[in-house]
Amino acid sequence: MADLAGPEVAVWQVLEARAHDLLKRHGYAEVRTPILEPTDLFARGLGDTTDVVQKEMYTFTDRGGRSLTLRPEGTASVIRHVAARGAEGLSARLYYLGPMFRSERPQAGRRRQFHQVGLERLGEPDPLADAEVIALQVDLLADWGLEGTRLLVNTRGTPEDRVAVSKGLQVALRPLAEALCEDCRRRIDTNPLRVLDCKRPACQEATRDVPSPVSWMSPESRVYFDTVVRALGAMGLDAEPTPRLVRGLDYYVHTVWEITHPGLGAQDAVAGGGRYLLPLEGKGIPGVGFAVGMERAVLALESAGRLPEPPRPPHVVFLAGLGQAAGLANLGLARDLRRSGLTVLAGDCHRSLKSQLKSADKASADWALIRGEDELARREVTLRRLRDGWQTTVPDDPDAVRNALVETNES
Ligand code: HAM
């Protein structure tokens, strides 16, 4: 887990502001769910046999003896939220930003507390909805300035397909068990699909000739997937069908996808998503959604030299005061100027003028307003334009100061 400070925070603020704007323009409303949930929500929602549930959740018992978990992702909480809203919730379009927690082995692009921008669009399966959500994710990354991404798409089929796929895969994988790693040997029985996306070269080599899971799926599921790929093509998106793309969460049905970036190294997925049927209160709740990893997006932008420039406030005024009485007078002037929308910084009135002006320079201020003993006695302030050192005196009155700032800016 890491602190976020300094210029990095400014970059995050730009990305977050653009995400809020873009997602709202697509008709999504923000939802903020708690970062703690009953453990059961994730265990049932994401699937008992997933790595996230088996190995990565921060789970503890609270003082009331309840098992709670720091959210490892956002989808399950959003579905819990909409399920409580009844029928109206079933057409919800919601987005979220915030920290997620997974106790994974840390490495470049992998944190134990990381942040996602995600969204969920509830509703019955429709390949066009899937394609639209994928396009929105691509557009969000493009809006952030990220180029050179790859869009990998695949299908998980329906829950019925999944039974057929698991059976077919188990038959194909059992004879290869000897050559597989320990995790994969266990997964043949618990989650055979995951064997296909094991990153270990020996496992990849051993399973090279195993048929694609799609070969066990129904014609309807294949048509669904083809429609998604065609819709993406019609929108000008270059989607790469990737039969071995599995994704680590069990709630997916039909379309799944990942967006990768070459600047990221081993953990190259900057974003992922899919259509799901989330089991909750005895029913399956259908939807489609995605999440972008903020840390990875920032890393990818950095590697491409495309980090956004935080906007500079248009007018920055620096108040320098010499001594306690000048400092006190500056407090009132600062409040008045800030209330009129200016960015006002103030120096430490117990330090020298030189040192205060150095701070003004460091803060890239446009003007300094200087109040020493003389100015105090004459009820004036000295206004200095910092770009060229030109200066004048102005009556100690917020309106007079504001007018003088406008005039000196234009002259
Ligand atoms: P996910 O693929 O598990 O999907 O996570 C989405 C993104 O979060 C990843 O592509 C990655 O960028 C980032 N991420 C995941 N784990 C870490 C980590 N340990 N450190 C840094 N970044 C990480 C989901 O979470 C689904 N809820 C997405 C979704 C929404 N599917 C449907 N709706």
Side-chain angles (χ1 to χ4, degrees), residues 73 75 102 104 109 111 114 116 120 247 251-252 269-270 289:
E73 60 104 56
T75 311
R102 295 183 195 174
E104 295 182 87
R111 290 264 167 85
F114 59 99
Q116 289 184 344
E120 311 300 340
R247 308 254 318 120
Y251 48 58
Y252 291 119
V270 66

Side-chain angles (χ1 to χ4, degrees), residues 85-106:
R85 282 167 42 181
E88 164 215 2
L90 293 179
S91 58
R93 292 182 181 205
L94 296 167
Y95 77 90
Y96 48 91
L97 279 85
M100 309 290 162
F101 304 84
R102 295 183 195 174
S103 166
E104 295 182 87
R105 205 159 32 83

Side-chain angles (χ1 to χ4, degrees), residues 332-342 344 402:
L333 181 59
R335 285 187 75 208
D336 284 329
L337 294 178
R338 285 180 186 131
R339 272 200 290 247
S340 68
L342 289 165
V344 180
R402 250 191 320 269

Side-chain angles (χ1 to χ4, degrees), residues 38 45 48 91 98 103 127 129 143 160 177 181 183 193 201 224 236 250 256 268 276 285 287 314 330 367 372 411:
D48 285 336
S91 58
S103 166
D143 189 62
E160 294 75 40
C181 71
D183 276 346
L193 206 51
Y224 188 103
D250 261 3
V256 288
D268 66 351
Y276 50 82
I285 301 202
N330 277 355
W367 297 285
S411 68

Side-chain angles (χ1 to χ4, degrees), residues 141 146 149 259-261 264 267-272 291-293 296-297 300:
L141 295 174
L146 195 59
T149 52
I259 297 182
T260 63
H261 190 273
L264 286 176
Q267 299 300 320
D268 66 351
V270 66
V292 181
R296 290 192 197 168

